[in-house]
Amino acid sequence: MMEQNHTAHSRDEKLAAMGRIMDTLDILRVKCPWDAKQTNESLRPNTIEEVYELAQALLDGKPAEIRKELGDVLLHVLFYAKIGEENGEFDIADVADALNSKLIFRHPHVFGNVHADTAHDVELNWEQIKLREKDGNKSVLSGVPASLPALVKAFRVQEKAANSGFDWETPSQVWDKVREEMAEVEEAVESHNENDIEAEFGDLLFSVINAARLYGVNPENALERTNRKFIARFNHIEESAKAAGRNLKDMTLAEMDSLWNEAKKNVR
């Protein structure tokens, strides 16, 4: 069943809703044994999980799931602010005010006299502004979290480097680099040197991620889309085998390949 069109709440209703969840959290922090014992450290693994669940909901594109997962992430934001308040460090008002100030400062093309016609212009300004915020004491890439998954980190460091002017002149130039890295992988494989093989595969993956960026493709989303497609097609192979009373381990590669080709017609 499709969801009905949502009626937007007024500003006062939105603020009242935020007040209710903050009141509820205040009560839970005192009266619920589990909530009362939570710390920044204990919440961190759950926060990471909730962000991934939100990312999944966003890919699924289901408003009800997105709304639910946004609520879970919001709870964690409020929880950390509550802990900060209890420790006498900051509260949710400090968090919101700092964010608002940062948004205004980082958007001089909206709130100041800087000119930016395109999203790319905004990105270039953004990187320069962030460097000024750090008083020039940190590198362009220092803002990329060390704990990011490798694929996402590669994409972000490439974006930041590009916004500083370190990029190909045209997207098509990247293909020579991809082909060069493919040849080096083949050479490393022939050498049977495990360290070289791993290093060259890393270089190849990095160059492919760079190619995706240059052509406006988010590699994380693209890979997840392929993951889902592969899972759906492989599930088709398993289901077809079971329907025929067969076990995948007892089937030949040619038989499985035939089912795979059948799945490709049905799963895009």
Side-chain angles (χ1 to χ4, degrees):
M1 180 181 296
M2 294 184 62
E3 291 189 40
Q4 295 180 346
N5 290 335
H6 176 260
T7 301
H9 292 97
S10 68
R11 182 182 180 85
D12 287 342
E13 289 173 326
K14 293 173 184 176
L15 292 174
M18 287 295 294
R20 286 192 293 272
I21 184 59
M22 291 170 64
D23 289 342
T24 299
L25 181 57
D26 287 345
I27 294 170
L28 291 175
R29 189 68 171 158
V30 174
K31 296 188 175 181
C32 172
W34 187 89
D35 289 283
K37 75 173 186 178
Q38 297 310 307
T39 64
N40 288 337
E41 292 74 19
S42 67
L43 283 173
R44 181 178 178 274
N46 292 339
T47 305
I48 295 171
E49 181 179 339
E50 295 296 354
V51 172
Y52 273 109
E53 289 181 359
L54 172 59
Q56 181 69 51
L58 292 169
L59 279 177
D60 290 340
K62 297 178 180 178
E65 284 299 308
I66 295 173
R67 180 182 62 199
K68 171 182 173 294
E69 299 304 339
L70 280 172
D72 291 342
V73 172
L74 175 60
L75 172 60
H76 280 249
V77 172
L78 294 174
F79 217 136
Y80 289 119
K82 178 64 178 174
I83 292 172
E85 181 180 351
E86 292 168 353
N87 294 337
E89 299 163 342
F90 58 85
D91 61 18
I92 192 63
D94 296 313
V95 173
D97 282 339
L99 173 58
N100 188 58
S101 296
K102 182 167 67 175
L103 286 174
I104 292 173
F105 180 73
R106 290 187 178 180
H107 290 78
H109 55 287
V110 176
F111 300 103
N113 299 319
V114 174
H115 192 69
D117 289 325
T118 67
H120 182 61
D121 291 341
V122 174
E123 289 176 357
L124 293 176
N125 288 335
W126 185 276
E127 294 299 338
Q128 295 304 314
I129 290 169
K130 286 196 288 186
L131 282 178
R132 288 203 300 273
E133 285 179 330
K134 299 167 184 175
D135 298 322
N137 292 326
K138 293 187 178 180
S139 73
V140 170
L141 303 182
S142 62
V144 180
S147 59
L148 279 179
L151 190 153
V152 178
K153 185 189 294 184
F155 184 67
R156 290 295 293 127
V157 299
Q158 290 169 4
E159 275 191 325
K160 284 182 172 292
N163 287 337
S164 296
F166 188 73
D167 203 3
W168 301 99
E169 292 181 356
T170 62
S172 61
Q173 292 175 322
V174 75
W175 298 118
D176 285 338
K177 185 62 176 177
V178 172
R179 283 187 283 269
E180 174 188 326
E181 297 299 350
M182 287 181 65
E184 291 180 2
V185 167
E186 292 177 359
E187 291 177 9
V189 169
E190 291 175 1
S191 75
H192 303 290
N193 185 309
E194 291 185 3
N195 287 332
D196 286 348
I197 293 171
E198 181 180 70
E200 296 303 340
F201 264 110
D203 290 346
L204 175 59
L205 290 170
F206 194 84
S207 67
V208 171
I209 292 168
N210 207 11
R213 177 188 63 82
L214 287 164
Y215 283 91
V217 174
N218 184 300
E220 171 70 19
N221 293 345
L223 183 57
E224 178 56 19
R225 182 176 180 177
T226 296
N227 286 339
R228 292 183 175 203
K229 183 167 59 178
F230 181 89
I231 291 169
R233 290 175 177 177
F234 193 82
N235 286 344
H236 175 83
I237 294 176
E238 283 190 305
E239 292 164 4
S240 298
K242 288 178 181 179
R246 302 286 302 279
N247 188 305
L248 284 183
K249 292 183 179 180
D250 299 328
M251 297 179 70
T252 66
L253 183 58
E255 288 174 322
M256 286 190 284
D257 197 45
S258 176
L259 290 175
W260 177 264
N261 289 331
E262 180 183 300
K264 286 174 65 175
K265 297 177 182 178
N266 300 320
V267 181
R268 298 292 180 182

